[in-house]
Amino acid sequence: MKKICVLILLIFSLPILAIEKIKLPEPNFKGLVFEEALKKRRSVRSYTKEALSLTEISQLLFSAQGITTTYYGHKLRTAPSAGALYPFEIYLVVNNGEKLKSGIYHYLVEEHSLEIVKEGNFREKIKNATLGQEPVAQAGIVFLLTAVFERTTKKYGERGIRYIHIEAGHIGQNILLQATSLGLATVPMGAFSDQEVNKLIGIDGKKQSTVYLILVGKK
Ligand SMILES: Cc1cc2nc3c(=O)[nH]c(=O)nc-3n(C[C@H](O)[C@H](O)[C@H](O)COP(=O)(O)O)c2cc1C
């Protein structure tokens, strides 16, 4: 009888345990002419209260790590990666996004989807983790670029750490130019407590750690 009760409980709790996934709209590849985006990109630190649309969020994520082609079995992405090893995992703090609950999400590259990590209002926590920088609480979304170091160091050793930092720049610039192309406001951030941001996401800070932050909001 006890076993049956446990079984029934398990069956009914399955939908609650299942991770919530949000399929993102297809990227549309329309925006400013590249040269115009280059000229217009500027660090902007004030944002309106308007939510970012799911299409905008989708396009920004795609620009960061979207799969663009397959080459000899390797799924290649928008940003280059040493040895096509792709050490980055991207998380988003969503403060203000259309059709998305406030919370922390993880980008599933292969599915072009988001999975929810934690639901809730993290404006103050992420602001505190960035030495109190106010724009972090006002941005619609905050990209957290985290790296799983071993993916690259297992092939390149210590030099892999250099490659990872270079790659953060590639991904970051893609997001900044994409945001500019969509007419959005954006700024990169290096001033934050690794420990506090890692704790917020729930990563260990050793095997995987946050390397770079990018804010995006409506102008
Ligand atoms: C690695 C890096 C870290 C940065 N960190 C911060 C930051 O923590 N806070 C901030 O407001 N801006 C930050 N910035 C943005 C710079 O202040 C900005 O790029 C610079 O003032 C030049 O302005 P521009 O981006 O409009 O060309 C950072 C930029 C880079 C490249």
Side-chain angles (χ1 to χ4, degrees), residues 41-43 45 133 187-191 212:
R41 184 212 61 80
R42 201 82 285 143
S43 289
R45 300 174 181 83
Q133 297 190 70
V187 63
M189 277 193 178
Y212 205 16

Side-chain angles (χ1 to χ4, degrees), residues 26-187:
E26 287 301 309
N28 72 13
F29 305 107
K30 280 185 218 134
L32 286 185
V33 172
F34 177 71
E35 289 79 2
E36 230 177 304
L38 270 184
K39 189 157 190 298
K40 283 197 172 152
R41 184 212 61 80
R42 201 82 285 143
S43 289
V44 181
R45 300 174 181 83
S46 67
Y47 316 101
T48 66
K49 288 195 164 69
E50 199 186 336
L52 288 173
S53 74
L54 199 59
T55 311
E56 286 166 334
I57 294 172
S58 163
Q59 189 70 38
L60 288 161
L61 283 162
F62 188 83
S63 76
Q65 284 287 269
I67 295 168
T68 44
T69 192
T70 304
Y71 185 74
Y72 289 104
H74 289 283
K75 289 178 179 161
L76 303 181
R77 304 186 186 178
T78 47
S81 176
L85 293 168
Y86 302 109
F88 278 85
E89 293 294 329
I90 295 191
Y91 293 81
L92 281 188
V93 178
V94 176
N95 291 331
N96 195 5
E98 176 205 60
K99 297 182 190 157
L100 288 176
K101 294 171 196 157
S102 296
I104 299 175
Y105 293 79
H106 173 229
Y107 179 47
L108 301 167
V109 174
E110 302 245 346
E111 300 173 34
H112 191 54
S113 299
L114 284 172
E115 63 179 352
I116 190 139
V117 177
K118 279 182 195 171
E119 215 182 297
N121 182 342
F122 291 96
R123 286 177 193 261
E124 281 310 303
K125 283 202 171 130
I126 189 70
K127 177 182 141 182
N128 293 339
T130 53
L131 322 179
Q133 297 190 70
E134 187 56 41
V136 186
Q138 305 310 328
I141 56 172
V142 182
F143 277 84
L144 313 176
L145 307 188
T146 79
V148 180
F149 298 105
E150 211 195 359
R151 287 187 198 161
T152 303
T153 56
K154 74 178 176 208
K155 179 167 182 186
Y156 297 109
E158 268 302 297
R159 199 167 181 82
I161 303 294
R162 178 194 293 213
Y163 293 164
I164 285 168
H165 292 142
I166 293 170
E167 287 181 34
H170 285 301
I171 297 169
Q173 185 75 350
N174 279 8
I175 299 169
L176 296 172
L177 289 175
Q178 179 65 80
T180 307
S181 173
L182 293 170
L184 301 169
T186 186
V187 63

